[in-house]
Structures are given as structure tokens and as C-alpha cells.
């Protein structure tokens, strides 16, 4: 019996070794063949076997591939892959490589699959919508002002004099592998292109917005984008420092929302039901830091509701519902560790619906504030669709939605019927503000004129600081870029938009109708997205399909209707299988998601021909042999 057993184990061992020797070939064949969605699923089969050997060989293999693709510096590969690959290994061990979760992961990681058709789910509501509702009338009283800023991305290691034209995703820091090299462009005091925001500029901004407005909203991303280096200690310290700075602004309160950079590794917020990992440390940190701004009850919600809270703004009838939308974010890899589909990870939709119901019961009006707008290529279609149900249920009391994340000045429209998108079915609209960080655009914030009865937006004025202004580094000044009512309202004729009417969903739908008919009007919007003086190649349209798709995206708060397709690679212009050109949104992904492994591995399909696969094979072979020798194995 014993002899038989040891023979059995010897045979088993031999089989495993043979499998693992072939594994190197399987992995490389699958990687070099990964050009379609089906091939991406096929790639996950050997990667799952590799993941079963443990996080270490899996991560080492991905580091080798990252360096071989050569999109980012080796230290960025080390850091980004070192942090994020263990989550992928956990995912692959947990899921069927051919299932729906794997399809979503192929979309997120490589851009090789399109998102599957949305899974049917009805968000439960406590009560049906009321049969009638009389909205107060806007335009009777003088508006008050609210500042909206976002994506401040503060770099506490920003160093004046450091290289501003480096090879990393974020410059103006002293990097170890740059030491002693001559400086081609030295970082100045208040911020530079390619760099995140220095503390000096944060203080200048906070002084600026600390006066002349009733309150401010900040829609997240306070941590810098050197994401391959951030860790829990640094993010916690960044959260604490900025929140005490916010709390110290004289007079003016800031209502914040949580961004995808407020975790480490970046973007990665584990689901509350996952077997591994937790982001509770983030929620604890923001809860503590926000308490002076939002009070104890809302801070307690932020702690127990994954960073979401709601608060009645003192002295008003306006409830702000601040949501953590990172659980709807494609690049949050923790969402792919189960074959089951979870309609409402961490109960964010449930929380939103409960707070909206409370507002409806109390006769209040509501603003939704959050970091990631749920209408982009990087939103999970399922959650965007379910959130759209929430918006449609409570549309009568929602006066506006406010987001950041895209680093662009944009808007979005929600409809009651996406098959008939017109001014009558337009029910809610989103205001998306560009970033404070000067990394790719001039720092920008919006000042809203808010109607004191309806809390609707009567005008949005966009202010910018010009980093090329000679005085910028001594005393940065903010100048009015444009007024939305003037710029877009004047486009509406026949009939014109009444002065007493808010800039609501119907207004914005009519603006998109002008964009459809008048390419010059559309180009005004395109030019404002990144602001004057900035590189617009990411958003520029050179053909009519792009023009059409961009308008469709504006009309796509329910993301499945936003005419966006996932693509591998960072190329801006792509062609689909029928040769039709369409816009790729992946380039912008580098800004929002940072140089994470999704950013790097989107490059794989396009770069695989320039990789020396024989050299890669030798390295991976050694990694797998070492893992075998150590008898490594992992479960979950
Ligand atoms: C965990 O998530 C579920 C939904 O998936 C939600 O109902 C529940 O409230 C969440 N719990 C916490 C503590 O976030
Ligand atoms: C390409 O054309 C075929 C046949 O007309 C069509 O079924 C398919 O959906 C098209 N693909 C895309 C991406 O539009």
C-alpha cells in the first residue's frame, strides 16, 4: 500500500513537472497570440496554472513581460507589477478563465474584449416614485456660488529644481535612477507640465477658493500619480495632510468625495465580501479626516459605507450624497475574483437609494458628488446601468451630478429612454470638471451659480491658472476662461434658452443638437475640454465618426449607450474589424488610472512583435523552475 502510494506521488510529481515545463511555452504562445477576445480567454488558462504556483512566480513573470514590452522604465515595472500582479494572480486562481468575469478582466487588463451585455437587475426601491411632484421654480432669487475642484494629485515629494522632463509618468521628483544626471528642465515653485501638484500651489488654491462662495465640492484624487511607489503609509499620510489643510480653510466648508487614487495599490478597493484584502484603512482615514468638514454622523457613514456619506448642507434644503464610485470602476482589479456577478459591490447603490429616499421623504433636493463619472469607457456597464435606474427613480429631486476623474471639462446627460434621446427624455445631467494638477492641462476649477430654491445650476464659470504666465511661480492668478451660459446658451436659438431657466439636462441636450448640426459649435466644446494652450490630440476629432461618437458619449450617462469600445494599445485612432475608424479612450486611461499594469498591458498586443521572446522564455523558465524547486503552491 505504502509502495503504491509513493509510486503514485512520483508519477503525480512527474506529470506536474512536465506540465510546468510546457507551461513556459503555453504562456508565451498565448501572449504572442493574444489579439482577440477569445485569445485573451485562452491566455488566462496557462496564466491560471502559473498563478496556482504562487504570487511570487506569477509576479516575477509579469515583471519580465512588463520590462520586455518596454513601455515604462524598469523601476515602474518593478513597482506597478509588484503591487498589482498578486491581485491578478488571486483573481485567476478564483475564476473560470472562460467565464464572464474573465471577459470583463480581459477588457480591463488588455482591452481585448468588449464588456458583456448588461446583466438584468432591478435596484430595489423602498417606495414607488410619487405620482406628482412640484419642483420649486428657479430664477426667483439671486444665486449663490459653489466651487467645484477635483484631481488635485498632490505630490508631497515635489522637488524644486528636479528634472521636469523625465522618463517616468510623473516628474519633478528625485528618482534614484536619475541621480547625478544633468537637468534639462528644472522644476519651478508652483508646478510644471508632466508633474503633479506641489504643496505651495495647494495652499494658493485653498486661499483662492476659501472666499466668496458658500461651500466647495472636491471630487477626489488627492494622491499623486507616482502609483508604482505609493503604499498604505504614504496614502494614509497624504489623506491626513490634505484633510487638515481642507479643514483649515477659513469660513468655507469643502464636501469631499473619494477617488481611485486614495488606495494602495492604486485603484484597488477590495469588495467587502472578498476572501482577501480590505480597504477599510482608507475609509477609516477619510472618515477621520472628513469629520471636521462633514460632522460626526456623515463621518460615521463614510467609515461604514465604504467612503460614501450624505449630509444636509447647513442653512439649505440641499442634501449632498457623496458616493464612492470606485466599485464601478473597470480598473479596480478586486472586482474580478468571483465567477458570480455582484450587482452592487459594497452596497453603494443601496446606500445611494436609501439617502435619496430620505431626501424625498423630507422634501429635500439632492446633489450627487463622486469621483468617477459613470458614463465613460472605464465604467462597468452593469453598475452604470443600475445607477441609471437610481437616477431615473429620483430624477425629480436631483438637481445635479458632479464628477472629476477625466481631467477634462465635460458634461453628460441621462435619459428616461435611451432609444429616444431627446430634450423631453433628458432627465439629469452631470458636470465634470478638469483637474487641478498641471500634469497635462492648466489647473482648472468651476464656480457654479446655484439657484437657492431649486439648487439647480444657473451658470458654470470655468477658472484657469496659466502655468506659462511669467508670474505663475510667484503669485498664480486664476482667470475666467468662459461662462457655460454665455458660450453654450448663446448657441441655442429658436427658441433661445430663457434667462430664468437652469442649465439642466434639457439645456444640455439641446446643446448637443447644435453640436450635431454645426461642426464649429462642436469644436468649441472639443477645444474647451482640455482648455486653451493644451495638447488636444487626445480628444481631437479628425473625422465624422468621431464627431458622432463624441456626441453619443455626451448622451450616454448609461455607459452601454455611450458608443465607446475597448481597445488595446495607446493609439488614439483605431480601426475595428471592418476597417471603421473609432476613438480609443485608452490613452486618457494613463491619466486617471496612472501607470498601472492595465496601462502597461494594454500595450502588449501592439508591441509583441518587437519583444525578444527567446530571452523572455529563458527568464520565465528559470522563474518556474525555481517555484517548482520550492514546491510553491497557492490557494487563493
Ligand atoms: C457589503 O456589501 C453588500 C452588498 O454587496 C452590502 O449590502 C453591505 O451593506 C456591505 N457592507 C459593508 C460593511 O460595506
Ligand atoms: C462588422 O460587420 C459585420 C457585418 O456587417 C457586423 O456583423 C459586425 O457587427 C461589424 N463589426 C463592428 C465592430 O461594427
Amino acid at each position: 500500500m505504502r509502495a503504491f502510494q509513493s509510486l503514485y506521488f512520483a508519477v503525480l510529481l512527474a506529470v506536474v513537472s512536465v506540465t510546468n515545463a510546457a507551461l513556459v511555452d503555453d504562456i508565451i504562445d498565448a501572449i504572442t497570440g493574444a489579439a482577440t477576445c477569445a485569445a485573451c480567454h485562452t491566455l488566462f488558462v496557462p496564466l491560471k496554472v502559473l498563478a496556482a504556483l504562487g504570487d511570487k512566480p506569477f509576479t516575477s513573470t509579469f515583471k519580465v513581460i512588463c520590462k520586455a514590452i518596454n513601455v515604462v522604465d524598469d523601476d515602474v515595472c518593478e513597482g506597478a507589477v509588484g503591487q498589482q500582479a498578486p491581485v491578478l494572480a488571486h483573481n485567476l486562481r478564483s475564476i473560470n478563465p472562460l467565464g464572464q468575469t474573465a471577459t470583463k478582466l480581459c477588457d480591463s487588463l488588455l482591452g481585448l474584449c468588449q464588456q458583456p451585455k448588461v446583466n438584468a437587475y432591478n435596484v430595489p426601491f423602498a417606495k414607488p416614485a410619487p405620482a406628482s411632484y412640484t419642483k420649486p421654480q428657479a430664477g426667483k432669487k439671486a444665486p449663490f456660488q459653489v466651487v467645484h475642484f477635483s484631481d488635485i494629485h498632490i505630490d508631497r515629494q515635489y522637488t524644486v529644481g528636479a528634472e521636469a522632463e523625465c522618463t517616468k509618468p510623473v516628474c519633478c521628483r528625485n528618482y534614484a535612477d536619475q541621480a547625478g544626471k544633468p537637468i534639462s528642465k528644472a522644476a519651478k515653485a508652483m508646478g510644471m507640465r508632466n508633474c503633479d501638484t506641489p504643496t505651495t500651489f495647494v495652499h494658493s488654491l485653498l486661499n483662492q477658493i476659501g472666499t466668496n462662495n458658500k461651500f466647495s465640492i472636491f471630487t477626489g484624487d488627492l494622491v499623486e500619480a507616482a502609483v508604482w511607489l505609493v503604499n498604505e503609509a504614504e496614502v494614509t499620510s497624504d489623506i491626513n495632510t490634505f484633510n487638515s489643510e481642507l479643514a483649515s480653510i477659513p469660513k468655507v466648508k469643502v464636501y469631499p468625495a473619494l477617488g481611485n487614487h486614495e488606495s494602495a495599490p492604486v485603484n484597488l478597493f477590495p469588495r467587502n465580501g472578498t476572501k482577501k484584502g480590505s480597504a477599510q484603512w482608507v475609509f477609516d482615514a477619510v472618515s477621520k479626516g472628513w469629520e471636521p468638514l462633514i460632522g460626526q454622523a456623515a463621518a460615521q457613514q463614510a467609515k461604514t459605507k465604504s467612503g460614501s456619506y450624505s449630509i444636509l448642507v447647513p442653512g439649505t434644503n440641499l442634501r449632498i450624497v457623496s458616493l464612492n464610485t470606485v466599485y464601478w470602476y473597470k480598473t479596480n482589479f478586486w472586482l474580478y475574483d468571483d465567477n458570480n456577478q455582484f450587482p452592487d459591490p459594497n452596497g453603494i447603490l443601496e446606500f445611494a437609494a436609501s439617502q435619496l429616499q430620505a431626501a424625498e421623504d423630507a422634501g429635500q433636493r439632492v446633489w450627487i458628488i463622486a469621483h468617477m463619472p459613470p458614463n465613460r469607457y472605464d465604467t462597468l456597464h452593469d453598475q452604470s446601468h443600475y445607477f441609471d435606474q437610481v437616477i431615473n427613480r429620483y430624477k425629480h429631486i436631483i438637481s445635479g451630478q458632479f464628477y472629476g476623474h477625466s481631467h477634462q471639462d465635460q458634461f453628460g446627460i441621462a435619459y428616461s429612454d435611451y432609444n429616444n434621446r431627446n430634450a423631453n427624455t433628458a432627465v439629469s445631467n452631470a458636470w465634470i470638471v478638469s483637474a487641478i494638477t498641471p500634469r497635462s492641462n492648466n489647473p482648472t476649477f468651476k464656480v457654479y451659480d446655484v439657484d437657492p430654491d431649486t439648487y439647480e445650476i444657473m451658470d458654470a464659470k470655468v477658472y484657469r491658472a496659466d502655468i506659462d504666465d511669467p508670474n505663475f511661480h510667484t503669485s498664480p492668478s486664476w482667470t475666467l476662461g468662459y461662462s457655460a451660459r454665455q458660450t453654450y446658451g448663446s448657441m441655442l436659438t429658436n427658441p433661445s434658452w430663457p434667462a430664468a431657466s437652469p442649465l439642466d439636462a434639457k439645456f444640455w441636450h439641446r446643446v448637443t443638437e447644435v453640436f450635431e448640426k454645426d461642426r464649429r459649435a462642436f469644436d468649441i466644446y472639443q477645444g474647451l475640454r482640455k482648455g486653451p494652450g493644451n495638447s488636444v490630440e487626445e480628444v481631437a476629432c479628425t473625422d465624422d465618426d468621431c464627431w458622432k461618437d463624441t456626441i453619443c458619449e455626451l448622451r450616454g450617462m448609461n455607459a452601454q449607450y455611450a458608443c465607446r469600445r475597448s481597445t488595446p494599445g495607446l493609439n488614439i485612432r483605431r480601426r475595428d474589424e471592418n476597417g471603421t475608424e473609432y476613438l480609443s479612450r485608452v490613452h486618457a486611461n494613463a491619466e486617471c488610472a496612472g501607470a498601472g499594469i492595465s496601462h502597461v498591458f494594454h500595450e502588449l498586443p501592439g508591441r509583441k512583435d518587437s519583444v525578444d521572446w527567446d530571452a523572455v522564455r529563458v527568464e520565465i523558465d528559470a522563474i518556474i523552475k525555481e517555484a517548482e524547486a520550492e514546491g510553491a503552491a497557492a490557494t487563493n
Side-chain angles (χ1 to χ4, degrees):
M1 188 66 192
R2 192 168 286 167
F4 174 75
Q5 254 185 1
S6 53
L7 181 66
Y8 173 79
F9 281 119
V11 168
L12 188 71
L13 214 64
V15 168
V16 169
S17 302
V18 166
T19 310
N20 291 351
L23 180 58
V24 186
D25 291 332
D26 288 351
I27 291 171
I28 293 186
D29 286 353
I31 288 174
T32 50
T36 61
C37 182
C40 179
H41 280 286
T42 309
L43 167 63
F44 282 175
V45 175
L47 288 183
K48 186 178 166 89
V49 178
L50 177 63
L53 292 176
D55 287 355
K56 192 171 146 220
F58 186 89
T59 304
S60 302
T61 298
F62 265 65
K63 282 182 183 171
V64 168
I65 297 166
C66 177
K67 290 174 190 168
I69 309 172
N70 197 24
V71 188
V72 291
D73 288 1
D74 284 359
D75 58 336
V76 180
C77 278
E78 281 289 329
V81 174
Q83 292 192 2
Q84 300 180 25
V87 179
L88 283 184
H90 159 75
N91 289 341
L92 290 170
R93 286 191 293 267
S94 310
I95 63 172
N96 169 4
L98 307 178
Q100 188 187 113
T101 304
T103 304
K104 290 179 171 176
L105 183 56
C106 282
D107 169 31
S108 168
L109 183 66
L110 292 148
L112 285 172
C113 295
Q114 303 304 318
Q115 288 195 51
K117 197 171 173 299
V118 302
N119 294 296
Y121 173 72
N122 291 322
V123 178
F125 296 116
K127 297 177 187 173
S132 71
Y133 173 81
T134 312
K135 195 176 78 179
Q137 210 192 326
K140 289 192 298 197
K141 292 186 197 142
F144 65 83
Q145 277 67 45
V146 168
V147 171
H148 178 192
F149 68 104
S150 201
D151 298 80
I152 188 163
H153 293 288
I154 307 161
D155 189 354
R156 302 286 174 187
Q157 290 178 46
Y158 186 99
T159 307
V160 173
E163 180 60 76
E165 275 175 358
C166 69
T167 54
K168 316 281 179 215
V170 180
C171 302
C172 302
R173 285 181 152 209
N174 289 326
Y175 289 112
D177 64 350
Q178 314 277 302
K181 290 194 183 159
I183 304 285
S184 68
K185 189 174 193 180
K188 295 184 192 167
M190 288 287 178
M192 307 287 286
R193 205 64 81 221
N194 305 324
C195 305
D196 271 332
T197 308
T199 305
T200 42
F201 190 65
V202 175
H203 294 155
S204 161
L205 168 80
L206 295 182
N207 282 331
Q208 181 72 29
I209 65 169
T211 48
N212 299 330
N213 60 299
K214 203 176 183 80
F215 60 87
S216 298
I217 52 178
F218 166 58
T219 44
D221 270 11
L222 68 91
V223 179
E224 38 73 17
V227 301
W228 65 102
L229 296 173
V230 295
N231 54 35
E232 186 174 324
E234 188 200 324
V235 169
T236 306
S237 153
D238 285 354
I239 289 173
N240 293 343
T241 309
F242 185 55
N243 283 324
S244 43
E245 284 164 337
L246 283 185
S248 72
I249 310 181
K251 293 189 296 194
V252 172
K253 283 218 166 153
V254 179
Y255 297 107
L258 192 68
N260 54 292
H261 278 259
E262 274 79 281
S263 186
V266 67
N267 309 322
L268 302 191
F269 288 74
R271 278 185 305 107
N272 70 17
T274 194
K275 294 188 196 78
K276 216 178 175 179
S278 162
Q280 191 56 43
W281 61 274
V282 179
F283 312 139
D284 290 347
V286 294
S287 168
K288 188 161 147 270
W290 290 349
E291 191 171 325
L293 305 166
I294 63 178
Q296 206 194 349
Q300 188 59 26
Q301 288 179 326
K303 191 184 181 76
T304 57
K305 302 292 178 187
S306 305
S308 301
Y309 67 87
S310 109
I311 185 169
L312 184 68
V313 178
T316 74
N317 194 34
L318 174 66
R319 177 167 293 276
I320 288 182
V321 178
S322 177
L323 299 177
N324 176 0
T325 49
V326 182
Y327 288 101
W328 312 341
Y329 184 34
K330 231 160 84 164
T331 314
N332 177 3
F333 290 128
W334 278 111
L335 298 171
Y336 309 106
D337 72 344
D338 200 302
N339 286 321
N340 295 309
Q341 304 302 312
F342 297 93
D344 186 13
N346 286 43
I348 308 295
L349 296 163
E350 184 188 13
F351 178 75
S354 73
Q355 300 308 299
L356 283 155
Q357 186 58 57
E360 184 182 272
D361 291 344
Q364 296 161 354
R365 299 197 55 81
V366 173
W367 282 7
I368 305 286
I369 71 169
H371 179 64
M372 183 194 70
N375 66 334
R376 288 162 35 98
Y377 69 91
D378 59 359
T379 305
L380 289 162
H381 288 182
D382 277 352
Q383 279 68 36
S384 176
H385 178 63
Y386 310 148
F387 184 60
D388 193 61
Q389 294 175 16
V390 176
I391 294 296
N392 268 284
R393 163 64 185 83
Y394 295 100
K395 55 186 183 282
H396 57 293
I397 60 168
I398 297 171
S399 298
Q401 304 180 49
F402 303 88
Y403 303 97
H405 183 63
S406 71
H407 295 207
Q408 295 178 31
D409 180 4
Q410 289 168 294
F411 63 92
I413 308 164
Y415 297 84
S416 55
D417 178 359
Y418 284 84
N419 295 319
N420 292 296
R421 287 177 255 187
N422 58 50
N424 291 325
T425 59
V427 293
S428 182
N429 69 297
W431 300 86
I432 301 166
V433 72
S434 189
I436 294 294
T437 177
R439 198 186 328 139
S440 52
N441 305 331
N442 277 338
T444 301
F445 62 75
K446 290 190 185 186
V447 179
Y448 300 114
D449 289 338
V450 182
D451 183 85
D453 291 314
T454 66
Y455 304 97
E456 291 170 310
I457 305 304
M458 304 305 287
D459 197 4
K461 299 194 176 85
V462 173
Y463 286 84
R464 301 195 193 94
D466 178 4
I467 71 165
D468 295 322
D469 174 355
N471 295 325
F472 178 76
H473 295 283
T474 48
S475 52
S477 64
W478 295 88
T479 51
L480 177 63
Y482 73 98
S483 134
R485 186 176 281 274
Q486 253 170 35
T487 301
Y488 295 116
S490 65
M491 292 176 180
L492 303 185
T493 51
N494 254 333
S496 59
W497 196 251
S501 295
L503 307 187
D504 59 9
K506 294 180 192 332
F507 171 85
W508 288 109
H509 181 85
R510 283 200 51 207
V511 171
T512 62
E513 286 177 341
V514 176
F515 291 174
E516 267 175 332
K517 292 192 199 90
D518 181 352
R519 177 64 195 254
R520 281 167 312 172
F522 172 72
D523 285 341
I524 290 173
Y525 167 71
Q526 289 287 85
L528 292 172
R529 275 171 72 175
K530 305 218 77 174
N534 293 302
S535 111
V536 294
E537 74 270 9
E538 258 175 44
V539 301
C541 280
T542 52
D543 60 67
D544 289 0
D545 281 339
C546 165
W547 176 11
K548 208 175 73 198
D549 286 350
T550 304
I551 292 169
C552 174
E553 187 181 40
L554 292 172
R555 295 172 175 172
M557 283 300 284
N558 186 332
Q560 64 181 311
Y561 300 108
C563 303
R564 289 303 176 203
R565 294 167 52 77
S566 296
T567 60
L570 299 182
N571 293 340
I572 296 155
R573 310 301 305 157
R574 309 290 303 183
R575 284 182 188 281
D576 72 12
E577 73 238 40
N578 298 336
T580 311
E581 235 190 344
Y582 58 95
L583 254 192
S584 161
R585 297 277 115 214
V586 173
H587 190 74
N589 199 23
E591 288 191 344
C592 324
I597 60 178
S598 148
H599 167 69
V600 172
F601 285 93
H602 268 75
E603 284 291 85
L604 179 62
R607 296 233 182 175
K608 59 177 191 267
D609 292 344
S610 59
V611 169
D612 178 356
W613 288 109
D614 288 335
V616 170
R617 187 184 309 269
V618 171
E619 288 191 68
I620 299 181
D621 194 47
I623 290 166
I624 290 177
K625 286 221 171 74
E626 192 189 325
E628 281 176 345
E630 288 173 5
T635 53
N636 254 310

